Amino acid sequence: QVQLQESGPGPVKPSQTLSLTCAVSGGSITTDYYYWSWIRQPPGKGLEWIGYIGSGGGTYYSPSLKSRTSISRDTFKNQFTLQLSSVTPEDARVYYCDRGNYRGSPWGTPAALDSWGQGARVAVSS
């Protein structure tokens, strides 16, 4: 059973870059047909889809965040990383890493994801 675990630094200051890493165990991030995704959730609101990196290394970013987002991976460590630049207080969310399957529901729908991390709360404060 695949497990995902987010990790990152403490509070981020406005205009800095937020960086979160997702360590994956129980499965390889290069396994065909899977992609590795980041989503976030503001308090009391629905999910916001950030982007994903596929098993082959290709990436896709949500248009609303594309200009500030970068997702990369380290296949040796079996982990992938989210970087979000020029953060503002509006980026203070709980961030989740997760896994989806290309053969399943389209990315952007909760049904697309079959494994989730426990979430990492990110604060943005000066």
Side-chain angles (χ1 to χ4, degrees):
Q1 180 179 356
V2 68
Q3 293 184 321
L4 299 90
Q5 178 66 59
E6 303 91 348
S7 63
V12 184
K13 294 183 178 180
S15 80
Q16 289 187 335
T17 295
L18 176 163
S19 182
L20 291 169
T21 295
C22 182
V24 179
S25 59
S28 171
I29 62 173
T30 61
T31 300
D32 286 344
Y33 303 118
Y34 289 106
Y35 56 85
W36 306 87
S37 169
W38 287 97
I39 60 176
R40 67 183 189 178
Q41 187 170 30
K45 297 186 178 181
L47 298 173
E48 297 175 348
W49 298 76
I50 301 172
Y52 63 81
I53 186 165
S55 56
T59 54
Y60 175 83
Y61 305 123
S62 175
S64 62
L65 295 169
K66 182 177 181 179
S67 63
R68 300 194 290 129
T69 305
S70 176
I71 299 175
S72 60
R73 66 179 186 174
D74 186 329
T75 57
F76 292 102
K77 294 182 178 179
N78 208 40
Q79 62 187 32
F80 59 107
T81 298
L82 167 70
Q83 291 190 306
L84 184 67
S85 63
S86 304
V87 299
T88 72
E90 288 298 308
D91 294 310
R93 305 276 193 263
V94 177
Y95 287 73
Y96 297 93
C97 62
D98 29 69
R99 185 183 76 170
N101 191 318
Y102 286 117
R103 296 169 292 187
S105 299
W107 183 80
T109 59
L113 307 174
D114 63 13
S115 301
W116 295 63
Q118 65 181 19
R121 186 175 300 276
V122 174
V124 178
S125 174
S126 56

